[in-house]
Amino acid sequence: MWLEDIHDILMTHAPDKGVPLVLGASGGLDSQALMQLLAEAGYVRVTCVYCDHGVRDAEDRQKDWERVQQLATTLGFSARQEQLTLEAGNFEDCARRARYALLHQVREQTGAAWVLTAHHGDDLVESQLLHWMRGSGIAGLVGIKTADYERHLLRPLLSVSKATLLAYAQETGLSWHEDSTNHQMDRRRN
């Protein structure tokens, strides 16, 4: 059932399977699953962009990039590795701004219709909780949206839980690399 929902979201926003798309790809479970889902849906012009924040050790970052590159090659997608330059300030906010700026730059370069991210249902709840903790009130509880037309940003996995993506990845034999910072409890997102 959830696969049909993802297909419907993609077909609603990008009905032309030949349209160029840009995917923010980390090498992790979520983006690897979205890469596979895009291929299964018949999309062929996908540029997978690995954004290197430069904050983890080189070996860990290289494993992420290798996962992105390997699956992109297998699926016939293109892959790019880009180094981000972060401004001073809150790391998460600065990293997010730099990442989206780069992804949109690639969208413009490639003529892509959308930038896709692999945010899923658990990320939506996390976003709502973090907004509430910052005191944003009711408006902050809206969280992230599936489609942001102004920014050409599409998040087709928002209705899917992390557990569902994990089961899908295991059933389809996907491999991914776990970001070592996902277990650092000093990061608010964790």
Side-chain angles (χ1 to χ4, degrees), residues 3-42:
L3 288 170
E4 293 170 4
D5 293 342
I6 303 304
H7 188 333
D8 289 347
I9 290 168
L10 292 170
M11 288 306 298
T12 298
H13 297 91
D16 177 1
K17 304 267 176 103
V19 66
L21 301 170
V22 171
L23 171 63
S26 68
L29 166 65
D30 313 334
S31 62
Q32 294 290 96
L34 184 52
M35 287 171 70
Q36 181 69 35
L37 289 164
L38 289 170
E40 288 175 7

Tab-separated table of all heavy atoms in Angstrom, residues 3-42:
chain	number	residue	atom	x	y	z
A	3	LEU	N	3.843	1.645	-1.077
A	3	LEU	CA	4.535	1.808	-2.355
A	3	LEU	C	3.643	2.524	-3.371
A	3	LEU	O	4.113	3.352	-4.146
A	3	LEU	CB	4.983	0.450	-2.899
A	3	LEU	CG	6.153	-0.207	-2.175
A	3	LEU	CD1	6.341	-1.642	-2.641
A	3	LEU	CD2	7.422	0.595	-2.366
A	4	GLU	N	2.338	2.219	-3.336
A	4	GLU	CA	1.392	2.903	-4.219
A	4	GLU	C	1.304	4.386	-3.875
A	4	GLU	O	1.202	5.229	-4.765
A	4	GLU	CB	0.012	2.247	-4.120
A	4	GLU	CG	-0.027	0.838	-4.665
A	4	GLU	CD	-1.332	0.127	-4.342
A	4	GLU	OE1	-2.244	0.743	-3.760
A	4	GLU	OE2	-1.424	-1.068	-4.674
A	5	ASP	N	1.336	4.706	-2.570
A	5	ASP	CA	1.296	6.108	-2.147
A	5	ASP	C	2.508	6.872	-2.681
A	5	ASP	O	2.379	8.005	-3.154
A	5	ASP	CB	1.249	6.218	-0.623
A	5	ASP	CG	-0.058	5.697	-0.033
A	5	ASP	OD1	-1.050	5.575	-0.782
A	5	ASP	OD2	-0.070	5.408	1.177
A	6	ILE	N	3.697	6.241	-2.589
A	6	ILE	CA	4.913	6.883	-3.094
A	6	ILE	C	4.798	7.091	-4.602
A	6	ILE	O	5.117	8.166	-5.124
A	6	ILE	CB	6.172	6.039	-2.772
A	6	ILE	CG1	6.316	5.790	-1.276
A	6	ILE	CG2	7.432	6.682	-3.363
A	6	ILE	CD1	6.338	7.024	-0.430
A	7	HIS	N	4.333	6.068	-5.302
A	7	HIS	CA	4.169	6.165	-6.751
A	7	HIS	C	3.201	7.302	-7.088
A	7	HIS	O	3.465	8.102	-8.005
A	7	HIS	CB	3.660	4.841	-7.296
A	7	HIS	CG	3.623	4.752	-8.789
A	7	HIS	ND1	3.487	5.825	-9.619
A	7	HIS	CD2	3.690	3.708	-9.617
A	7	HIS	CE1	3.467	5.447	-10.876
A	7	HIS	NE2	3.594	4.174	-10.906
A	8	ASP	N	2.095	7.415	-6.355
A	8	ASP	CA	1.120	8.480	-6.608
A	8	ASP	C	1.741	9.861	-6.405
A	8	ASP	O	1.500	10.781	-7.182
A	8	ASP	CB	-0.107	8.327	-5.706
A	8	ASP	CG	-0.988	7.145	-6.098
A	8	ASP	OD1	-0.806	6.593	-7.206
A	8	ASP	OD2	-1.840	6.761	-5.275
A	9	ILE	N	2.527	10.020	-5.343
A	9	ILE	CA	3.189	11.306	-5.087
A	9	ILE	C	4.130	11.651	-6.235
A	9	ILE	O	4.133	12.780	-6.739
A	9	ILE	CB	3.951	11.270	-3.746
A	9	ILE	CG1	2.950	11.234	-2.580
A	9	ILE	CG2	4.899	12.465	-3.615
A	9	ILE	CD1	3.572	10.902	-1.245
A	10	LEU	N	4.928	10.682	-6.660
A	10	LEU	CA	5.859	10.924	-7.757
A	10	LEU	C	5.116	11.258	-9.048
A	10	LEU	O	5.476	12.203	-9.750
A	10	LEU	CB	6.771	9.715	-7.959
A	10	LEU	CG	7.775	9.446	-6.845
A	10	LEU	CD1	8.444	8.087	-7.039
A	10	LEU	CD2	8.816	10.550	-6.766
A	11	MET	N	4.062	10.514	-9.348
A	11	MET	CA	3.317	10.739	-10.585
A	11	MET	C	2.564	12.068	-10.562
A	11	MET	O	2.387	12.701	-11.597
A	11	MET	CB	2.353	9.583	-10.861
A	11	MET	CG	3.065	8.304	-11.289
A	11	MET	SD	4.172	8.548	-12.705
A	11	MET	CE	3.025	9.066	-13.972
A	12	THR	N	2.140	12.506	-9.388
A	12	THR	CA	1.442	13.785	-9.273
A	12	THR	C	2.400	14.943	-9.549
A	12	THR	O	2.032	15.911	-10.214
A	12	THR	CB	0.833	13.946	-7.865
A	12	THR	OG1	-0.132	12.903	-7.673
A	12	THR	CG2	0.175	15.296	-7.679
A	13	HIS	N	3.612	14.844	-9.051
A	13	HIS	CA	4.551	15.954	-9.130
A	13	HIS	C	5.548	15.845	-10.285
A	13	HIS	O	6.097	16.853	-10.718
A	13	HIS	CB	5.297	16.104	-7.805
A	13	HIS	CG	4.371	16.444	-6.684
A	13	HIS	ND1	3.778	15.480	-5.903
A	13	HIS	CD2	3.910	17.631	-6.249
A	13	HIS	CE1	3.001	16.075	-5.015
A	13	HIS	NE2	3.056	17.372	-5.203
A	14	ALA	N	5.825	14.640	-10.737
A	14	ALA	CA	6.780	14.438	-11.842
A	14	ALA	C	6.253	13.333	-12.755
A	14	ALA	O	6.812	12.236	-12.806
A	14	ALA	CB	8.156	14.083	-11.285
A	15	PRO	N	5.152	13.626	-13.470
A	15	PRO	CA	4.540	12.577	-14.294
A	15	PRO	C	5.396	12.126	-15.471
A	15	PRO	O	5.252	11.000	-15.945
A	15	PRO	CB	3.232	13.216	-14.778
A	15	PRO	CG	3.442	14.684	-14.655
A	15	PRO	CD	4.410	14.877	-13.524
A	16	ASP	N	6.312	12.982	-15.928
A	16	ASP	CA	7.214	12.636	-17.026
A	16	ASP	C	8.416	11.887	-16.445
A	16	ASP	O	9.254	12.484	-15.769
A	16	ASP	CB	7.658	13.907	-17.741
A	16	ASP	CG	8.664	13.651	-18.854
A	16	ASP	OD1	9.021	12.476	-19.107
A	16	ASP	OD2	9.095	14.649	-19.460
A	17	LYS	N	8.520	10.598	-16.717
A	17	LYS	CA	9.600	9.781	-16.147
A	17	LYS	C	10.968	10.166	-16.696
A	17	LYS	O	11.986	9.782	-16.151
A	17	LYS	CB	9.340	8.295	-16.427
A	17	LYS	CG	7.989	7.807	-15.931
A	17	LYS	CD	8.062	7.243	-14.567
A	17	LYS	CE	6.709	6.847	-14.058
A	17	LYS	NZ	6.411	5.464	-14.084
A	18	GLY	N	10.994	10.958	-17.767
A	18	GLY	CA	12.260	11.407	-18.332
A	18	GLY	C	12.709	12.759	-17.792
A	18	GLY	O	13.764	13.247	-18.176
A	19	VAL	N	11.918	13.332	-16.900
A	19	VAL	CA	12.269	14.640	-16.352
A	19	VAL	C	13.506	14.497	-15.462
A	19	VAL	O	13.619	13.532	-14.698
A	19	VAL	CB	11.083	15.248	-15.560
A	19	VAL	CG1	10.772	14.455	-14.318
A	19	VAL	CG2	11.337	16.692	-15.207
A	20	PRO	N	14.446	15.432	-15.545
A	20	PRO	CA	15.606	15.360	-14.653
A	20	PRO	C	15.189	15.630	-13.207
A	20	PRO	O	14.355	16.505	-12.938
A	20	PRO	CB	16.532	16.470	-15.159
A	20	PRO	CG	16.026	16.863	-16.496
A	20	PRO	CD	14.582	16.523	-16.527
A	21	LEU	N	15.782	14.888	-12.291
A	21	LEU	CA	15.562	15.038	-10.855
A	21	LEU	C	16.912	15.084	-10.156
A	21	LEU	O	17.875	14.479	-10.629
A	21	LEU	CB	14.746	13.862	-10.299
A	21	LEU	CG	13.365	13.630	-10.900
A	21	LEU	CD1	12.796	12.298	-10.413
A	21	LEU	CD2	12.418	14.773	-10.572
A	22	VAL	N	16.966	15.773	-9.028
A	22	VAL	CA	18.161	15.790	-8.182
A	22	VAL	C	17.776	15.163	-6.856
A	22	VAL	O	16.754	15.518	-6.269
A	22	VAL	CB	18.676	17.228	-7.962
A	22	VAL	CG1	19.783	17.261	-6.919
A	22	VAL	CG2	19.172	17.818	-9.279
A	23	LEU	N	18.591	14.231	-6.394
A	23	LEU	CA	18.331	13.555	-5.128
A	23	LEU	C	19.488	13.790	-4.169
A	23	LEU	O	20.640	13.507	-4.509
A	23	LEU	CB	18.159	12.045	-5.355
A	23	LEU	CG	18.085	11.164	-4.114
A	23	LEU	CD1	16.872	11.502	-3.263
A	23	LEU	CD2	18.080	9.703	-4.506
A	24	GLY	N	19.186	14.324	-2.996
A	24	GLY	CA	20.178	14.425	-1.941
A	24	GLY	C	20.414	13.026	-1.389
A	24	GLY	O	19.519	12.426	-0.803
A	25	ALA	N	21.601	12.493	-1.614
A	25	ALA	CA	21.887	11.097	-1.280
A	25	ALA	C	23.045	11.005	-0.297
A	25	ALA	O	24.137	11.492	-0.571
A	25	ALA	CB	22.214	10.318	-2.551
A	26	SER	N	22.802	10.362	0.834
A	26	SER	CA	23.813	10.283	1.892
A	26	SER	C	24.526	8.943	1.960
A	26	SER	O	25.528	8.825	2.644
A	26	SER	CB	23.149	10.536	3.242
A	26	SER	OG	22.282	9.449	3.554
A	27	GLY	N	23.983	7.940	1.299
A	27	GLY	CA	24.527	6.588	1.434
A	27	GLY	C	23.838	5.811	2.533
A	27	GLY	O	24.066	4.624	2.708
A	28	GLY	N	22.965	6.488	3.270
A	28	GLY	CA	22.225	5.847	4.353
A	28	GLY	C	20.984	5.130	3.847
A	28	GLY	O	20.631	5.201	2.665
A	29	LEU	N	20.327	4.459	4.764
A	29	LEU	CA	19.139	3.663	4.460
A	29	LEU	C	18.094	4.460	3.688
A	29	LEU	O	17.596	4.010	2.653
A	29	LEU	CB	18.531	3.126	5.770
A	29	LEU	CG	17.124	2.547	5.696
A	29	LEU	CD1	17.104	1.294	4.841
A	29	LEU	CD2	16.591	2.267	7.086
A	30	ASP	N	17.749	5.642	4.161
A	30	ASP	CA	16.639	6.401	3.599
A	30	ASP	C	16.886	6.785	2.142
A	30	ASP	O	16.038	6.557	1.281
A	30	ASP	CB	16.383	7.668	4.426
A	30	ASP	CG	16.356	7.400	5.918
A	30	ASP	OD1	16.049	6.263	6.323
A	30	ASP	OD2	16.672	8.320	6.683
A	31	SER	N	18.036	7.378	1.867
A	31	SER	CA	18.298	7.820	0.496
A	31	SER	C	18.570	6.642	-0.435
A	31	SER	O	18.202	6.691	-1.617
A	31	SER	CB	19.431	8.841	0.443
A	31	SER	OG	20.639	8.320	0.904
A	32	GLN	N	19.159	5.577	0.073
A	32	GLN	CA	19.363	4.396	-0.766
A	32	GLN	C	18.006	3.804	-1.164
A	32	GLN	O	17.805	3.410	-2.307
A	32	GLN	CB	20.206	3.343	-0.042
A	32	GLN	CG	21.652	3.753	0.236
A	32	GLN	CD	22.506	3.827	-1.003
A	32	GLN	OE1	22.693	4.892	-1.579
A	32	GLN	NE2	23.059	2.710	-1.426
A	33	ALA	N	17.069	3.773	-0.215
A	33	ALA	CA	15.727	3.262	-0.508
A	33	ALA	C	15.032	4.150	-1.540
A	33	ALA	O	14.401	3.644	-2.478
A	33	ALA	CB	14.904	3.170	0.773
A	34	LEU	N	15.159	5.473	-1.389
A	34	LEU	CA	14.515	6.371	-2.352
A	34	LEU	C	15.137	6.219	-3.739
A	34	LEU	O	14.423	6.246	-4.742
A	34	LEU	CB	14.582	7.824	-1.874
A	34	LEU	CG	13.859	8.848	-2.751
A	34	LEU	CD1	12.413	8.452	-3.043
A	34	LEU	CD2	13.921	10.228	-2.105
A	35	MET	N	16.441	6.034	-3.818
A	35	MET	CA	17.076	5.797	-5.118
A	35	MET	C	16.458	4.569	-5.782
A	35	MET	O	16.097	4.604	-6.967
A	35	MET	CB	18.589	5.585	-4.955
A	35	MET	CG	19.357	6.843	-4.642
A	35	MET	SD	21.097	6.516	-4.189
A	35	MET	CE	21.784	6.000	-5.750
A	36	GLN	N	16.333	3.494	-5.029
A	36	GLN	CA	15.757	2.256	-5.551
A	36	GLN	C	14.305	2.469	-5.983
A	36	GLN	O	13.889	1.994	-7.040
A	36	GLN	CB	15.851	1.153	-4.488
A	36	GLN	CG	15.315	-0.193	-4.926
A	36	GLN	CD	16.166	-0.854	-5.985
A	36	GLN	OE1	17.387	-0.724	-5.989
A	36	GLN	NE2	15.531	-1.561	-6.901
A	37	LEU	N	13.532	3.183	-5.169
A	37	LEU	CA	12.120	3.440	-5.483
A	37	LEU	C	11.979	4.272	-6.762
A	37	LEU	O	11.076	4.023	-7.571
A	37	LEU	CB	11.435	4.136	-4.311
A	37	LEU	CG	11.195	3.261	-3.084
A	37	LEU	CD1	10.872	4.117	-1.862
A	37	LEU	CD2	10.084	2.257	-3.358
A	38	LEU	N	12.861	5.244	-6.947
A	38	LEU	CA	12.819	6.047	-8.173
A	38	LEU	C	13.090	5.182	-9.400
A	38	LEU	O	12.424	5.321	-10.427
A	38	LEU	CB	13.823	7.197	-8.106
A	38	LEU	CG	13.469	8.330	-7.143
A	38	LEU	CD1	14.655	9.276	-6.975
A	38	LEU	CD2	12.239	9.086	-7.631
A	39	ALA	N	14.052	4.292	-9.286
A	39	ALA	CA	14.352	3.388	-10.400
A	39	ALA	C	13.173	2.458	-10.675
A	39	ALA	O	12.794	2.252	-11.832
A	39	ALA	CB	15.614	2.588	-10.107
A	40	GLU	N	12.584	1.911	-9.621
A	40	GLU	CA	11.432	1.024	-9.788
A	40	GLU	C	10.258	1.752	-10.429
A	40	GLU	O	9.474	1.143	-11.163
A	40	GLU	CB	11.004	0.438	-8.439
A	40	GLU	CG	11.961	-0.600	-7.899
A	40	GLU	CD	11.599	-1.089	-6.503
A	40	GLU	OE1	10.518	-0.721	-5.983
A	40	GLU	OE2	12.400	-1.847	-5.924
A	41	ALA	N	10.126	3.047	-10.155
A	41	ALA	CA	9.041	3.841	-10.727
A	41	ALA	C	9.327	4.237	-12.178
A	41	ALA	O	8.460	4.775	-12.853
A	41	ALA	CB	8.794	5.088	-9.883
A	42	GLY	N	10.555	3.992	-12.644
A	42	GLY	CA	10.887	4.241	-14.039
A	42	GLY	C	11.601	5.546	-14.335
A	42	GLY	O	11.785	5.902	-15.497
